[in-house]
Amino acid sequence: MNSSLSQSQTQAELERIYAVRFSGLEAYRNEVWNVLTNEFFSRWIKPDNSVLDLGCGYCEFINNISAAQKFAMDLNPSARDRVSRATRFFEQDCSAAWPLPDDSLDIIFSSNFFEHLPSKAALQATLLEAYRCLRPGGHLIAIGPNVKLLSGEYWDFFDHHLPLTELSLSEALVMAGYKVELALARFLPYTMSQGFRPPIWTLRLYLKLPLVWKVAGRQFLVIGKK
């Protein structure tokens, strides 16, 4: 099997699995990300910044954030249909070279993506490419399921490959040259993909109560600085 055929098959599988997993949740997820971007993550992102959504999925983050330049990257071809016209989309393997110059990004954001990479080598290559593209002082912000806070449900998703914690991701960032500014073991609850839809006002309240994160949070939040 040649590599181009393998990538095409991977892309087709990504389209199918996410269509099944998130069908009917699109509008709700967009509401959630509107709150997360504007009421939480915007504190790290200035309106004149250049921002890349790494593993952008259905593009809820990049479509809701305010930034001067927007980029999105995903191997799933359906992401191209969801990204806004103001955003430049890269349909590619994130561990390959990025079509961006050195020191060109202020923020790289990634949510529930690194666990889908096939290996630690792929993660290391991705973090190094992100480091190259970040400006000095730029940040990589990552959210993901914290495997030490989950039992077998982490593996309920067939495309989960790489188990990570806030500490293991922090070590990977340090190895790639970053300074870790924040490493929270507990941030958001685990998943919305099972149809759980709490009212949006509860998310706003949750974000204002970090003590509650220590009980309900099972996703890490890690921020590295170049």
Side-chain angles (χ1 to χ4, degrees):
M1 182 182 295
N2 63 50
S3 59
S4 61
L5 179 60
S6 177
Q7 177 165 312
S8 297
Q9 289 178 331
T10 298
Q11 289 176 300
E13 289 167 0
L14 284 170
E15 281 191 290
R16 287 196 299 270
I17 197 168
Y18 285 105
V20 171
R21 185 174 296 169
F22 296 117
S23 178
L25 290 170
E26 294 90 346
Y28 178 75
R29 285 173 57 86
N30 191 65
E31 288 186 74
V32 167
W33 278 101
N34 183 270
V35 172
L36 289 172
T37 54
N38 292 296
E39 300 184 26
F40 188 81
F41 290 109
S42 59
R43 69 189 67 181
W44 286 283
I45 302 169
K46 299 176 182 178
D48 63 349
N49 278 176
S50 180
V51 178
L52 169 71
D53 189 353
L54 177 59
C56 60
Y58 281 8
C59 304
E60 296 102 338
F61 170 83
I62 199 64
N63 287 346
N64 279 291
I65 200 68
S66 294
Q69 288 186 299
K70 295 184 179 186
F71 303 92
M73 183 181 296
D74 206 297
L75 195 57
N76 185 346
S78 67
R80 183 181 295 278
D81 299 327
R82 297 176 181 274
V83 72
S84 71
R85 291 184 178 180
T87 302
R88 183 180 174 190
F89 178 65
F90 305 125
E91 185 180 316
Q92 69 160 80
D93 177 350
C94 63
S95 64
W98 296 4
L100 287 167
D102 295 356
D103 306 332
S104 58
L105 298 171
D106 297 290
I107 299 289
I108 297 171
F109 180 85
S110 184
S111 173
N112 287 260
F113 174 64
F114 290 150
E115 68 272 16
H116 300 281
L117 296 180
S119 66
K120 291 182 178 180
L123 175 60
Q124 288 176 317
T126 300
L127 294 179
L128 287 170
E129 194 62 9
Y131 188 88
R132 178 187 68 79
C133 292
L134 279 173
R135 295 188 176 106
H139 291 90
L140 185 149
I141 303 171
I143 307 170
N146 192 332
V147 70
K148 70 184 175 188
L149 301 176
L150 298 163
S151 55
E153 71 255 47
Y154 181 85
W155 300 110
D156 286 344
F157 299 94
F158 188 68
D159 54 343
H160 279 190
H161 299 287
L162 194 58
L164 293 166
T165 72
E166 84 286 2
L167 297 179
S168 60
L169 180 57
S170 293
E171 284 196 344
L173 286 169
V174 170
M175 290 171 62
Y178 299 80
K179 175 184 177 182
V180 176
E181 289 197 334
L182 182 67
L184 295 180
R186 295 180 178 269
F187 177 45
L188 294 175
Y190 180 38
T191 180
M192 291 185 297
S193 66
Q194 303 298 333
F196 181 52
R197 306 185 201 187
I200 294 298
W201 68 264
T202 63
L203 173 60
R204 289 192 170 95
L205 181 61
Y206 182 88
L207 292 173
K208 295 175 182 177
L209 299 172
L211 287 177
V212 180
W213 306 356
K214 296 181 180 180
V215 177
R218 294 196 292 167
Q219 294 193 62
F220 58 70
L221 171 61
V222 177
I223 300 178
K225 181 179 180 179
K226 179 173 177 177

